[in-house]
Amino acid sequence: MSASAESHRTTLANPPNAMSSEVAEFLAKPKKLFIGGQWHDSRSGQTFDTVDPSTGRAIATVAEGQAEDIDRAVAAARKAFDDSAWSRMRPMERERLLHNLADLIEKHADTIAEIEALDNGKSVVIARHVDVKHAIEVYRYMAGWPSKIEGQTLPLSGSLLPDQTFVGYSLREPVGVVGAIIAWNFPFLLATWKLAPALAAGCTVVLKPAEETPLSALFLGQLITQAGFPEGVVNIVPGFGDTAGAALSSHPDVDKVTFTGSTEVGRLIARAAAGNMKKVTLELGGKSPTIVFGDVDADAAIAGAASAIFFNHGQTCCAGSRLYVQSKRFDEIVEGVSEVARKLKLGPGLNPETQIGPLVSATQRERVMSYISQGMADGAKAVAGGHALDTDGYFVEPTVFTNVNAEMSIVREEIFGPVVVAAKFDDLDEIAAVANQTSYGLAASIWTKDINTVHRLAPKLRAGTVWVNCHNVLDPAMPFGGYKQSGWGRELGKEALNSYLESKSMCINI
Ligand code: NAI
Ligand code: MG
């Protein structure tokens, strides 16, 4: 690719002994499928390699689950769902198991962070202090729910009731067997967003991690057993999307499918789920605007806008990938963000100095570079970055584009890399329309000191989260998800829990 050779950047190297002995031991063990509480080879005997994206070298060989393995895992999950060890377990005991799991994750947090850094490429420091720390809190937040899942008393009084006495109330019950299919950008965290509420609700789960990043889910399988969950409550089947993923999303004995990934695959999953009318939650792509007004403090807005896009190398569904700045401050803010982009240190995830790791795969690097090339061909100007690094790892420079227009693919489509497009705006109504000029609706951020601006603009934004003077901030109690083609339903908070519960109305003639 022409854009790839010109970069003069160098990457950091890993310090000697960057990998701990616990991680080396884990990597050396066979990587099997976790089904019914046991570790199995796949029925076909097939395996696949997972690579370290900072070197392109294989780090582990993993059993490849396919349709027949998914069948086996779903059968184990169904059996566990029906079995009294789980279905009749007291809610407070479910809470204890979730707390046990959170404690075990905390005990092994450094190990999980290292596995994540190796398999995904992200900084080990971020993995430890964002991905794993947040995961622990989500398990603990959801562990609080089981004993508090309540129905309602229903005051039945309509004229259709016969002239007798009725008692009405509702119950919340687990939806059943859940198929969870996740992406590779936050492997451990996304598994948590599905597992924690599903288990709190009393569901059983078959989890299919992304083929790029199966390792932290397999490590989690060991902790599930140690935490004391009955066999088959959680099953973990690594494999590819069009085989294992497709089998899980169309399986007739799965009651709900929950997915995080591309909008394109979200559409396939919704179709596959229609066969037996599975309940569906989808957390899909985004093209979120970062909207900077002219009254901001420059340092905070520049740091915030840079972090909005470059956090996790732009491989974040809610990344602030469209930067809109009020005209009078445009040059200053965009130059500031570009300066940050030029100074960010690229390197492997295991080096604690690394600020931008490699993209997850060669495919992702090619996808991002083809957007960058297309942007240049369309007349956009890369004022920072614009190149892939000439190394075996999948590094792409943090890139800032100006001279963009609404027709360009770099402005319209999710790039999912460290690439931001910057454009000017003048007034609030104009920016509201431009911000919504996308098929996505996951998130937006507004940067201003003016409370009136916030309250006038936020209601106009068609987005599931609106951050004010911050971006990419998540909390276990705050629902997260998308309007429009960014998805169906919400992760986190009570809304996520409710999506794993059915409602049963009881109507009793006494
Ligand atoms: P993807 O959507 O293909 O993969 C995500 C998960 O879906 C993986 O576990 C994969 O095995 C599974 N999958 C793929 N095809 C499937 C099918 N037919 N049935 C069931 N499961 C299937 O995402 P991919 O290819 O890794 O990335 C492509 C683009 O998607 C990225 O460039 C980015 O724009 C977007 N994406 C968005 C994410 C988000 O968080 N919003 C996460 C990952 C990707
Ligand atoms: Mg794919």
Side-chain angles (χ1 to χ4, degrees):
M1 195 152 302
S2 62
S4 69
E6 297 157 38
S7 175
H8 302 296
R9 286 207 191 218
T10 50
T11 54
L12 299 166
N14 268 329
N17 307 322
M19 196 194 302
S20 67
S21 57
E22 200 183 355
V23 172
E25 239 170 70
F26 170 73
L27 290 180
K29 282 202 288 197
K31 303 284 170 304
K32 301 193 178 192
L33 315 178
F34 184 59
I35 298 177
Q38 311 294 322
W39 295 92
H40 300 270
D41 289 318
S42 61
R43 278 269 157 84
S44 69
Q46 274 172 252
T47 59
F48 65 101
D49 285 344
T50 184
V51 303
D52 169 356
S54 72
T55 61
R57 284 199 290 273
I59 44 175
T61 299
V62 178
E64 183 196 328
Q66 296 180 351
E68 46 193 350
D69 305 296
I70 292 290
D71 280 345
R72 208 159 37 140
V74 172
R78 174 61 58 192
K79 184 162 176 287
F81 185 74
D82 293 337
D83 194 283
S84 59
W86 183 246
S87 63
R88 304 195 50 187
M89 182 182 282
R90 292 181 183 200
M92 282 203 184
E93 181 64 9
R94 279 211 310 279
E95 294 187 355
R96 199 178 62 83
L97 295 185
L98 282 161
H99 278 299
N100 286 351
L101 183 59
D103 291 347
L104 284 163
I105 294 169
E106 192 160 45
K107 183 172 158 203
H108 295 282
D110 293 340
T111 301
I112 297 166
E114 259 184 59
I115 292 170
E116 212 70 327
L118 266 170
D119 208 13
N120 164 280
K122 68 176 66 199
S123 145
V124 68
V125 181
I126 299 279
R128 174 66 186 84
H129 295 288
V130 179
D131 302 51
V132 179
K133 191 196 240 180
H134 174 73
I136 293 164
E137 290 176 354
V138 172
Y139 279 111
R140 292 205 171 121
Y141 168 88
M142 289 297 172
W145 275 118
S147 61
K148 300 160 198 78
I149 295 171
E150 297 170 337
Q152 292 176 306
T153 53
L154 307 172
L156 307 181
S157 66
S159 61
L160 295 184
L161 294 177
D163 191 18
Q164 287 157 348
T165 307
F166 286 84
V167 172
Y169 60 94
S170 67
L171 298 170
R172 303 306 308 265
E173 296 180 341
V175 78
V177 172
V178 172
I181 301 173
I182 56 172
W184 40 260
N185 51 337
F186 295 88
F188 195 78
L189 185 158
L190 294 179
T192 302
W193 282 12
K194 312 298 190 192
L195 281 167
L199 296 172
C203 295
T204 59
V205 182
V206 177
L207 170 71
K208 193 205 83 63
E211 51 271 42
E212 294 85 353
T213 53
L215 295 181
S216 60
L218 295 176
F219 190 86
L220 179 73
Q222 305 176 5
L223 304 186
I224 296 276
T225 302
Q226 287 175 39
F229 285 91
E231 288 180 356
V233 168
V234 176
N235 307 274
I236 301 169
V237 184
F240 290 85
D242 51 2
T243 51
L248 187 55
S249 55
S250 62
H251 202 289
D253 207 24
V254 170
D255 300 292
K256 172 183 167 110
V257 62
T258 173
F259 171 71
T260 299
S262 61
T263 295
E264 182 191 354
V265 172
R267 220 169 262 125
L268 293 177
I269 287 184
R271 276 195 209 111
N276 69 333
M277 288 294 168
K278 287 178 189 66
K279 310 298 178 263
V280 182
T281 303
L282 302 172
E283 202 266 276
L284 308 174
K287 191 76 180 174
S288 299
T290 302
I291 303 167
V292 180
F293 282 86
D295 64 343
V296 290
D297 165 57
D299 290 348
I302 288 166
S307 156
I309 180 62
F310 299 132
F311 173 67
N312 214 43
H313 334 149
Q315 299 172 138
T316 307
C317 46
C318 49
S321 51
R322 291 184 293 147
L323 171 61
Y324 296 111
V325 185
Q326 216 165 15
S327 296
K328 59 182 171 184
R329 302 289 297 281
F330 181 83
D331 291 345
E332 175 195 3
I333 300 292
V334 172
E335 178 48 32
V337 171
S338 303
E339 196 51 30
V340 173
R342 291 179 204 114
K343 286 187 178 150
L344 286 168
K345 290 183 208 152
L346 275 61
L350 283 190
N351 187 325
E353 304 277 301
T354 290
Q355 293 170 306
I356 295 266
L359 300 186
V360 74
S361 62
T363 308
Q364 195 60 18
R365 179 184 56 189
E366 294 326 315
R367 191 180 284 143
V368 171
M369 287 314 299
S370 78
Y371 275 112
I372 289 178
S373 301
Q374 187 61 48
M376 290 174 175
D378 290 344
K381 183 176 170 203
V383 290
H387 307 104
L389 265 50
D390 192 14
T391 68
D392 293 335
Y394 312 131
F395 295 94
V396 172
E397 289 180 334
T399 299
V400 180
F401 274 117
T402 57
N403 282 14
V404 298
N405 66 54
E407 307 308 313
M408 293 178 180
S409 61
I410 54 170
V411 176
R412 285 186 288 108
E413 294 173 27
E414 181 176 54
I415 299 176
F416 227 61
V419 182
V420 64
V421 294
K424 294 177 187 173
F425 72 93
D426 288 310
D427 68 56
L428 192 143
D429 287 330
E430 175 200 355
I431 189 55
V434 169
N436 289 331
Q437 217 172 64
T438 166
S439 57
Y440 295 113
L442 195 53
S445 64
I446 305 172
W447 297 76
T448 180
K449 288 180 180 151
D450 185 346
I451 194 83
N452 296 331
T453 300
V454 173
H455 286 295
R456 279 166 47 221
L457 179 56
K460 295 179 196 276
L461 297 175
R462 304 276 298 155
T465 299
V466 175
W467 287 294
V468 177
N469 296 324
C470 60
H471 197 113
N472 289 337
V473 175
L474 299 170
D475 189 89
M478 186 168 69
F480 179 82
Y483 282 34
K484 301 200 278 185
Q485 294 185 34
S486 289
W488 289 349
R490 293 292 179 268
E491 309 276 6
L492 299 173
K494 196 177 180 184
E495 283 200 46
L497 178 82
N498 283 339
S499 77
Y500 293 90
L501 292 167
E502 288 278 18
S503 172
K504 179 181 280 176
S505 292
M506 295 293 301
C507 177
I508 306 177
N509 179 352
I510 55 171

